Amino acid sequence: MKTRLIAHRQVSAIGLGGMPMSIEGRPDAARSVATIHAALEEGVTLFDTADSYHVHSDEVGHNETLIAGAIGSWGGDTSTVLVATKGGHLRPGDGTWTVDGRPEYVKQAAEASLKRLGGDAIGLYQFHRPDPAVPYADSIGALRDLLDAGTIELAGISNANPEQILLAREILGGRLASVQNQFSPAFRSSESELRLCDELGIAFLPWRPLGGILSAAALGDRFPAFQTVAAARGVSPQVVCLAWHLSKSPHVIPIPGASRPESIRDSVQAAEFTLTPEESATLDAA
């Protein structure tokens, strides 16, 4: 597995997003564990989760607990695995999503995530989504305090615009390790954030890179250019799509969600798949 950097941490060029294994329509635990083990077997060392990846209000941190348990039960070496989690986004249990960016809450959420994940510090902790009721600088100040206290090893932000990226970088004293924004063939409005991260040397983690768990299977139908390249090269449109992400910048690390072993096994092929400049241009224009 080829690798890329999040700050000083070397991780697999393709990560695994855990959200589909814990929200509505989630599979049984055995299949989820098998998916995580398959990822580890393929060399995946970046796992993305959040305390809000759950369904019911009494199971906050469901996905964190699932991922930590599966990694712990795998028989191989997990010393280089980086688990990235997020806080500041909540699910009250009625199907809605809410936000809470108060510094005291962000710190409380991080401490709770650390207990679920285990270890001395959270590998990468990301402020999940801006809270309109709280000054962004105050929320990021909580990340700075968590870094200084050693509760988290690396700090990141999610769903941020360029101004917020620059502000977070300033407040964290240059220690902003990652930005996690939605980016895919269907959703390209984060191109400016991707370019900024490339200029600053900050890891950019595209979430929903294949268009989401309900749309990923139809990617080739929705975007024929990806299907055309895939057919010519003998791979799936999903592999082409992830390779397209990787081609955009050496700082891009896609985190496709998966809930089946075969899905992540297919996705990791993108790390070894190189698009020609002509193919990349065609896909950019699709």
Side-chain angles (χ1 to χ4, degrees):
M1 170 68 74
K2 290 182 179 178
T3 60
R4 294 194 167 187
L5 289 173
I6 300 180
H8 63 278
R9 290 291 299 270
Q10 198 171 56
V11 299
S12 54
I14 299 292
L16 173 63
M19 184 178 179
M21 294 182 271
S22 289
I23 62 166
E24 288 82 356
R26 66 192 183 201
D28 60 71
R31 195 178 93 191
S32 292
V33 171
T35 302
I36 296 165
H37 285 181
L40 290 163
E41 290 161 4
E42 295 292 339
V44 173
T45 58
L46 174 63
F47 293 83
D48 180 77
T49 182
D51 60 0
S52 58
Y53 293 168
H54 62 86
V55 177
H56 307 293
S57 60
D58 61 350
E59 55 174 15
V60 174
H62 178 276
N63 196 247
E64 292 175 323
T65 302
L66 174 67
I67 287 178
I71 292 172
S73 67
W74 190 59
D77 179 15
T78 59
S79 60
T80 62
V81 168
L82 178 66
V83 176
T85 192
K86 300 178 286 294
H89 213 178
L90 300 84
R91 299 204 76 191
D94 59 0
T96 63
W97 297 77
T98 61
V99 292
D100 191 340
R102 293 173 300 134
E104 59 269 29
Y105 175 76
V106 173
K107 293 178 182 180
Q108 172 192 331
E111 293 286 356
S113 289
L114 177 57
K115 289 181 180 178
R116 287 187 288 266
L117 294 172
D120 298 325
I122 295 173
L124 172 59
Y125 193 70
Q126 303 157 103
F127 180 48
H128 203 155
R129 187 176 288 275
D131 182 349
V134 178
Y136 196 68
D138 291 354
S139 301
I140 303 305
L143 289 185
R144 178 197 57 218
D145 293 346
L146 290 166
L147 269 175
D148 293 342
T151 305
I152 65 176
E153 180 185 347
L154 300 172
I157 55 177
S158 184
N159 302 297
N161 62 36
E163 293 74 20
Q164 290 165 336
I165 293 172
L166 293 172
L167 178 59
R169 184 169 177 259
E170 178 184 354
I171 292 172
L172 294 170
R175 296 178 292 173
L176 179 62
S178 66
V179 173
Q180 184 177 145
N181 276 18
Q182 184 176 2
F183 190 82
S184 70
F187 190 95
R188 305 193 190 191
S189 62
S190 287
E191 186 86 39
S192 59
E193 289 84 3
L194 189 160
R195 294 302 168 202
L196 179 59
C197 287
D198 184 49
E199 293 171 12
L200 299 175
I202 296 170
F204 184 85
L205 314 180
W207 62 267
R208 201 174 281 176
L210 300 176
I213 199 70
L214 298 178
S215 301
L219 188 149
D221 295 328
R222 298 177 65 203
F223 300 95
F226 287 81
Q227 178 62 55
T228 298
V229 173
R233 299 286 298 274
V235 297
S236 70
Q238 291 75 21
V239 167
V240 172
C241 182
L242 295 173
W244 172 71
H245 280 81
L246 292 171
S247 72
K248 288 192 162 290
S249 162
H251 301 291
V252 171
I253 308 171
I255 46 173
S259 62
R260 298 177 183 274
E262 53 268 32
S263 296
I264 189 59
R265 289 195 179 108
D266 183 67
S267 290
V268 298
Q269 295 179 57
E272 303 292 335
F273 186 86
T274 302
L275 294 166
T276 67
E278 294 76 18
E279 288 170 336
S280 292
T282 296
L283 298 177
D284 283 341

